[in-house]
Amino acid sequence: MTTILDGKNVANQLTTKLQEKVKELNLKNIIPTLYVIEVGEDPASRIYLKAKENLAKRIGIKEVTLKFSENISQKELIDKIIELNRDPKVNGIMVQLPLPKHIDTEKIVATIAPEKDADGFHPYNQGRMWQSKTQIIPATVRGILALLDYYQLDVSGKDAVIIGRSLIVGKPLASQFLRRDATVTIAHSKTKNLADLTNRADIVVSDVGQAHLLKRDMIKENAVLIDVGMNRKNGHLMGDIDYQECFDKASAITPVPGGVGPLTVVSLMQQVLILAENQING
Ligand code: NAP
């Protein structure tokens, strides 16, 4: 029987745990605080930010969104981040991407103090991740690991194929799968014969952004399928994996929506609490 990896349920359970954690911090007079920097008006980003604001409120995290006009200079933005880095009441900082073209995104991300890097995009944290020496990892990756843990899906010794090599999902996930002793292959747009790789994989994670890229004849019997893709087609949200086709061939599969998506925002909040605790413990 195929297990549906219900991200919504796992996210709800995690939310309850985080609410408890915030109460513990409050008893120590700590109010975990996340600052979000939003530049310009991007409707897609706004929807995501609203979800973050609502969840932070539910969990008890103080979330402050600083909105700047899209004409803000790079220097002004950097100065603001430095000010937040220095403020002991600020536990986590994140900059909503994409930024306007005149701003150097890499420079902005690198300005955030690594110990306040809520998104886990800072080059220091990305490097430490490959050394297996940090708890700070991108939220979607944390969410995928939480889902696998909840359903007790151990990747050790398994062949894992990750499709997509982005810095926010594919590459950091590869580091975490390696940390968990999987044998990892990363595929991308220049990969030849993707099906040859996925057909041998015990676990496939797709982070491409192409509706129904992965078909039934491309997966192995009893594979675990994790779909990060979110594609809008004919007014519907669908994943990279053809869910209907692959369902009964897989041993476990994430739906879209309701799989990885709900775990991303709650994992960001979890990371803010980890940052706050690290800061208290020095
Ligand atoms: P991205 O940075 O554009 O990365 C996409 C990756 O897919 C690239 O590495 C690209 O290869 C690879 N690719 C493109 N076409 C391919 C093909 N035909 N075969 C194999 N690989 C191919 O995208 P992203 O920001 O990671 O987002 C990808 C999708 O995930 C989007 O649908 C996005 O909405 C979704 N997403 C969801 C969540 C969530 O919380 N659920 C979080 C993040 C992203 P190259 O490197 O060679 O270009």
Side-chain angles (χ1 to χ4, degrees):
M1 216 180 75
T2 308
T3 305
I4 298 173
L5 304 174
D6 182 351
K8 222 171 170 179
N9 174 39
V10 181
N12 280 334
Q13 296 198 27
L14 194 51
T15 299
T16 307
K17 280 192 192 147
L18 298 185
Q19 284 166 334
E20 295 301 319
K21 180 70 70 195
V22 168
K23 281 184 197 150
E24 284 170 28
L25 289 168
N26 289 164
L27 289 175
K28 296 178 189 163
N29 288 327
I30 294 152
I31 299 162
T33 301
L34 169 68
Y35 269 71
V36 177
I37 293 179
E38 182 182 10
V39 180
E41 289 281 334
D42 178 42
S45 295
R46 194 70 312 272
I47 294 170
Y48 189 43
L49 285 175
K50 194 75 208 155
K52 285 178 193 167
E53 286 162 17
N54 291 341
L55 189 65
K57 203 170 177 184
R58 226 175 112 200
I59 290 173
I61 291 174
K62 181 179 168 192
E63 193 269 355
V64 183
T65 302
L66 299 177
K67 292 188 186 195
F68 296 102
S69 122
E70 66 176 348
N71 300 321
I72 187 172
S73 72
Q74 182 162 302
K75 176 157 187 331
E76 280 173 283
L77 208 50
I78 287 176
D79 288 347
K80 188 69 219 175
I81 293 171
I82 292 171
E83 193 187 312
L84 296 174
N85 285 344
R86 289 183 181 143
D87 184 343
K89 290 194 291 301
V90 178
N91 303 112
I93 304 167
M94 60 151 294
V95 177
Q96 185 63 33
L97 304 178
L99 289 170
K101 288 202 169 51
H102 68 279
I103 292 174
D104 180 344
T105 301
E106 265 184 45
K107 202 161 190 168
I108 295 298
V109 169
T111 302
I112 297 170
E115 64 277 12
K116 297 192 177 187
D117 175 25
D119 268 329
F121 296 165
H122 192 286
Y124 176 83
N125 286 325
Q126 294 251 331
R128 296 288 280 176
M129 211 165 50
W130 283 99
Q131 295 178 323
S132 303
K133 282 189 176 144
T134 183
Q135 298 166 284
I136 307 307
I137 55 175
T140 305
V141 174
R142 184 182 293 288
I144 293 169
L145 298 179
L147 199 58
L148 293 174
D149 288 342
Y150 182 85
Y151 287 97
Q152 299 182 331
L153 296 167
D154 186 4
V155 302
S156 174
K158 301 278 167 58
D159 283 328
V161 170
I162 298 169
I163 318 174
R165 55 178 163 180
S166 71
L167 279 173
I168 60 171
V169 183
K171 283 179 186 162
L173 182 63
S175 78
Q176 298 308 298
F177 274 5
L178 274 179
R179 190 175 184 170
R180 291 177 172 217
D181 299 324
T183 303
V184 184
T185 304
I186 305 183
H188 46 78
S189 67
K190 307 290 186 295
T191 298
K192 291 189 179 123
N193 302 325
L194 180 65
D196 286 352
L197 299 175
T198 54
N199 261 318
R200 289 202 302 268
D202 302 307
I203 170 161
V204 180
V205 180
S206 187
D207 174 53
V208 173
Q210 205 172 302
H212 294 181
L213 169 75
L214 207 73
K215 300 281 189 190
R216 187 183 175 86
D217 61 357
M218 294 170 73
I219 59 159
K220 184 168 125 175
E221 199 80 45
N222 290 325
V224 172
L225 304 179
I226 309 282
D227 198 345
V228 183
M230 291 199 292
N231 312 292
R232 289 230 166 256
K233 213 173 166 186
N234 308 328
H236 294 286
L237 192 61
M238 55 180 77
D240 292 348
I241 299 174
D242 192 327
Y243 186 84
Q244 300 292 349
E245 268 195 15
C246 296
F247 187 84
D248 62 346
K249 200 173 173 188
S251 63
I253 187 167
T254 54
V256 176
V260 176
L263 279 161
T264 297
V265 185
V266 72
S267 296
L268 175 78
M269 299 304 152
Q270 187 180 20
Q271 187 128 293
V272 174
L273 298 190
I274 292 171
L275 294 171
E277 285 189 313
N278 286 350
Q279 286 155 29
I280 302 159
N281 299 328

